[in-house]
Amino acid sequence: MAELVARTGSRRLGRSRDRDGDRGSGTVHALTLTLVLGVLLLTVLLLAQAGIATHRAGKAADLAALAAADTARGLVAGDPCGTAERVARDNGARLERCELVEPERVVVDVRTTVALDGPLARFGDARGVSRAGPPEATGAP
């Protein structure tokens, strides 16, 4: 009987020695998983920030082009590109280009930019492009 107790005791000691080698490995795995999830979350947030800036630039370009086309048609007094610049600025963008492409049809092309902040600044500005004017004439009766 004493041999049985001695064997069982040595087995228990052997098992606890094996377990000591794994002690703390769950903490390492949990920290690694937390770090990976944190990096993924940061990446998603940065991509969302870039997407929002791109949508803002596009919205500002659309509104600036429409305002410039209305001014060019004579619905509003003033310079079409000056109006486009004011509208773009009011919408948080900077007017990069304004061109009256077809003066006889009053078609205006506008390009705007919105600066990216933080770590995304090194990739340049978000851009928006828009064209405004009357609809294309179709041959339908």
Side-chain angles (χ1 to χ4, degrees):
M1 186 73 147
E3 287 180 28
L4 183 61
V5 172
R7 282 188 205 161
T8 311
S10 67
R11 280 189 195 156
R12 286 186 186 150
L13 289 175
R15 283 185 190 162
S16 69
R17 260 189 262 140
D18 289 342
R19 288 184 188 162
D20 285 343
D22 291 338
R23 182 165 285 241
S25 65
T27 304
V28 173
H29 290 306
L31 289 174
T32 303
L33 181 63
T34 303
L35 179 67
V36 168
L37 290 176
V39 168
L40 287 175
L41 178 63
L42 181 64
T43 303
V44 168
L45 290 175
L46 289 174
L47 287 173
Q49 180 183 3
I52 290 169
T54 301
H55 284 286
R56 272 188 25 208
K59 177 190 74 163
D62 289 342
L63 293 173
L66 288 171
D70 284 349
T71 304
R73 286 180 56 199
L75 298 176
V76 179
D79 173 47
C81 289
T83 303
E85 184 176 2
R86 182 182 52 79
V87 170
R89 187 178 54 245
D90 289 346
N91 284 283
R94 184 177 58 84
L95 185 67
E96 190 174 82
R97 186 182 72 134
C98 175
E99 183 180 356
L100 193 58
V101 180
E102 298 178 36
E104 66 280 351
R105 289 190 55 232
V106 193
V107 175
V108 180
D109 280 351
V110 171
R111 181 180 303 156
T112 60
T113 60
V114 171
L116 292 172
D117 298 329
L120 295 175
R122 65 181 162 170
F123 295 113
D125 296 337
R127 297 192 185 328
V129 178
S130 187
R131 174 175 276 191
E136 296 290 326
T138 59

